[in-house]
Amino acid sequence: MFEWTPSVDEDGRILYARWDYVDRHNMPYMSLWSTMPDGTSAQAVFGNYTQNPHCMFEARSIPGSRKIIFTASGHHAFTGGSLVLLDPHRGADGEDPMQRLTPEVCFPESEGWPESYYANPYPLSENHYLTAWSDLKLPPHRGSGQVRDDHNPVNAMGLYLCDAFGNLELIYRDSKISSMNPIPVRPRY
């Protein structure tokens, strides 16, 4: 159906979320796939038969590691949810290869609608990540059938440093617009 949120991993492969429901029900199969830059050797990396979380978006390879971070999102919501550390060498499906970095945030839709949410993780190491975070409830998509009495404001998210120990430190938050998609910058000589 679609391929979303591509990034390049440590081996030069392109990681992406793929909605793969050929010959099966259309939920919840939005898993993590990879391909070579020329489009050859497409393969499932993780979650092609994992039902929780529903979607694995914004996957990024962690520098100097074989692990990957991704946003566990709902099918009927915009990309936002819990952050997950994945070790694909521990398996291609199920809970065992996943470590929830933000266990206070439920997996959207499959476990409920979280009271706060993360998006756009950018790993610095296995223990430290730049991310966007909102202290507001993740609103379901309009087509989800969920009753919506509120909408996410345009300034819902800020940029934070998050770590694997449960700490969250504000880097920047704008009072008028959301701040998202953190990318570290360093000088080049």
Side-chain angles (χ1 to χ4, degrees):
M1 179 72 176
F2 69 73
E3 280 99 19
W4 279 5
T5 64
S7 69
V8 179
D9 77 4
E10 289 289 293
D11 296 326
R13 296 182 62 86
I14 298 171
L15 296 172
Y16 59 95
R18 176 186 170 109
W19 188 358
D20 183 40
Y21 67 96
V22 175
D23 295 328
R24 58 185 170 180
H25 188 267
N26 70 347
M27 284 286 290
Y29 304 104
M30 293 184 211
S31 53
L32 181 58
W33 285 62
S34 72
T35 187
M36 297 302 290
D38 64 1
T40 60
S41 302
Q43 62 184 2
V45 174
F46 180 77
N48 205 38
Y49 295 99
T50 298
Q51 295 193 16
N52 193 30
H54 277 215
C55 305
M56 297 158 203
F57 292 134
E58 305 178 321
R60 286 194 177 270
S61 184
I62 295 176
S65 172
R66 63 185 191 179
K67 296 180 181 177
I68 297 166
I69 189 171
F70 68 83
T71 304
S73 298
H75 172 72
H76 293 103
F78 58 83
T79 302
S82 187
L83 299 183
V84 175
L85 184 64
L86 172 68
D87 186 348
H89 293 89
R90 293 185 63 198
D93 275 295
E95 291 183 23
D96 212 33
M98 294 188 292
Q99 174 190 347
R100 291 189 197 209
L101 296 170
T102 55
E104 74 283 3
V105 178
C106 66
F107 287 162
E109 194 168 6
S110 60
E111 296 177 345
W113 294 101
E115 297 297 318
S116 65
Y117 61 93
Y118 293 84
N120 321 126
Y122 196 103
L124 304 173
S125 69
E126 283 189 20
N127 292 322
H128 294 91
Y129 321 95
L130 298 175
T131 188
W133 179 72
S134 177
D135 58 354
L136 302 174
K137 185 172 180 145
L138 179 70
H141 183 275
R142 290 188 186 276
S144 70
Q146 299 289 319
V147 175
R148 288 189 57 165
D149 58 359
D150 63 340
H151 300 280
N152 224 356
V154 296
N155 64 345
M157 303 193 87
L159 300 179
Y160 290 81
L161 175 64
C162 179
D163 68 29
F165 315 106
N167 298 305
L168 188 64
E169 184 175 329
L170 175 64
I171 295 173
Y172 179 78
R173 191 167 198 128
D174 194 295
S175 62
K176 295 183 179 153
I177 62 170
S178 279
S179 300
M180 301 170 63
N181 298 297
I183 299 173
V185 178
R186 68 178 181 184
R188 291 186 182 186
Y189 303 99

